[in-house]
Amino acid sequence: MRVYSEGNWVTQFQNLGGLGIGSVSDPTNRLSVAAEASLFSHEGNDHRIKVNKAGTADTAALLFQSNWTGHAEMGLAGDTRFSVKVSADGSAWQEALAIDPALQSISLAPAGMERLRLKDTELALNVPISGAAVQSSATDTTAGRLALAQHAYGPGNLLGGVAQMAGVPTGAVIEQGSNANGHYMRLADGTQICWHEFTETGLAVTTPYGSLYRSGTIAAPTFPAAFASAAGLVTVFRGHFATNIDGWLVANGVPSATALTVGSLRAISAISRTEDFRWHYLAIGRWFT
């Protein structure tokens, strides 16, 4: 555009009502360019493209269209956060990414609902984690993979009911309990320990037994938790009289999976005596085979 001014023709491009380059401008799109590409280069060093808006609630953004229908927009849309919005039809829009300068956070919402928020002090996730970098099963111990709550152990599931399937633990690591028959502990590897302490009040240990003396039959207790079988079951006895004199226990049978012995259980003493006899046992075996 040339304007005749003060006897000369000069080029005038200030305060144009519109400009079309290979295209036609309109009141909304005052600069319209139709070309394969547009180039904005530096003049010496830096180069910045500025998109300014009047106020916080306004929009300063880049809109990407396909056949004149908008599908993506990035910039400051209605606030001072930098956001990326997407649309399948140009009408319904969803914010997929937001960078908040006030909260110093980055959030992702691929389906319109925030699923990830990253801050300097935390990473918050609201979606299940999967993929090659995540533990795939309870037996997956690949180095470097993220452990899942259902496959890992911590304060919340270290203690509780133990369980297993085909030898693979599916419950807690340690189970402890007690009942009228005593105390027990089960470990995830199948180990079970049972114990109990008894007092036989006024027990008569007066029947000659070689150079020693024995009592009558003491009732064999039931284990507080059944073992899987009696095979490999180990039991340890210890006893003493109320006066802290040593005493012994003997059994002429073997333990079953549910009780201490299937034979008779008796106390032994070096001298004939009748007094309270305290004893306990410890049984170690397996709760599954």
Side-chain angles (χ1 to χ4, degrees):
M1 178 183 294
R2 292 171 63 83
V3 177
Y4 187 79
S5 175
E6 297 180 355
N8 296 301
W9 288 96
V10 296
T11 302
Q12 177 61 266
F13 286 103
Q14 301 296 331
N15 294 316
L16 298 177
L19 178 63
I21 302 176
S23 180
V24 178
S25 65
D26 57 49
T28 300
N29 301 292
R30 295 183 183 183
L31 172 63
S32 179
V33 178
E36 291 185 0
S38 299
L39 174 63
F40 298 86
S41 186
H42 65 89
E43 186 179 39
N45 294 304
D46 302 332
H47 184 93
R48 290 185 176 89
I49 296 176
K50 301 176 182 179
V51 182
N52 184 56
K53 62 180 181 175
T56 300
D58 300 317
T59 295
L62 298 179
L63 177 64
F64 298 88
Q65 298 176 322
S66 176
N67 194 27
W68 309 112
T69 298
H71 292 289
E73 183 181 54
M74 66 180 184
L76 309 180
D79 52 35
T80 57
R81 301 177 308 148
F82 180 83
S83 64
V84 176
K85 297 182 178 182
V86 293
S87 174
D89 56 9
S91 177
W93 290 83
Q94 294 178 341
E95 185 178 87
L97 169 68
I99 303 175
D100 193 320
L103 297 178
Q104 291 288 291
S105 66
I106 301 173
S107 61
L108 292 175
M113 180 177 293
E114 185 179 82
R115 297 301 187 183
L116 178 149
R117 181 181 290 271
L118 174 62
K119 300 178 68 174
D120 181 50
T121 56
E122 67 174 350
L123 171 64
L125 294 174
N126 187 29
V127 65
I129 302 176
S130 62
V134 179
Q135 188 179 23
S136 61
S137 67
T139 57
D140 182 3
T141 56
T142 305
R145 290 189 174 177
L146 293 174
L148 297 178
Q150 64 266 37
H151 301 322
Y153 287 99
N157 59 0
L158 187 63
L159 302 177
V162 297
Q164 60 85 31
M165 181 176 293
V168 177
T170 58
V173 177
I174 303 171
E175 176 183 339
Q176 288 187 324
S178 63
N179 52 46
N181 294 323
H183 304 268
Y184 72 92
M185 179 173 67
R186 286 180 169 179
L187 304 181
D189 71 342
T191 301
Q192 176 170 291
I193 303 172
C194 294
W195 68 95
H196 198 10
E197 183 172 311
F198 302 86
T199 297
E200 306 295 331
T201 304
L203 181 66
V205 188
T206 56
T207 302
Y209 188 63
S211 60
L212 303 173
Y213 296 87
R214 66 170 175 81
S215 69
T217 300
I218 298 174
T222 299
F223 294 131
F227 292 89
S229 72
L233 185 60
V234 175
T235 56
V236 178
F237 301 93
R238 187 181 185 281
H240 64 88
F241 291 97
T243 53
N244 288 325
I245 301 297
D246 284 344
W248 301 270
L249 285 166
V250 294
N252 64 1
V254 295
S256 69
T258 58
L260 185 60
T261 179
V262 294
S264 48
L265 186 65
R266 294 187 176 91
I268 304 295
S269 174
I271 62 175
S272 177
R273 66 178 66 247
T274 299
E275 63 178 276
D276 292 352
F277 183 71
R278 300 188 180 96
W279 65 281
H280 66 261
Y281 75 88
L282 181 72
I284 305 174
R286 295 186 61 79
W287 60 271
F288 78 88
T289 57

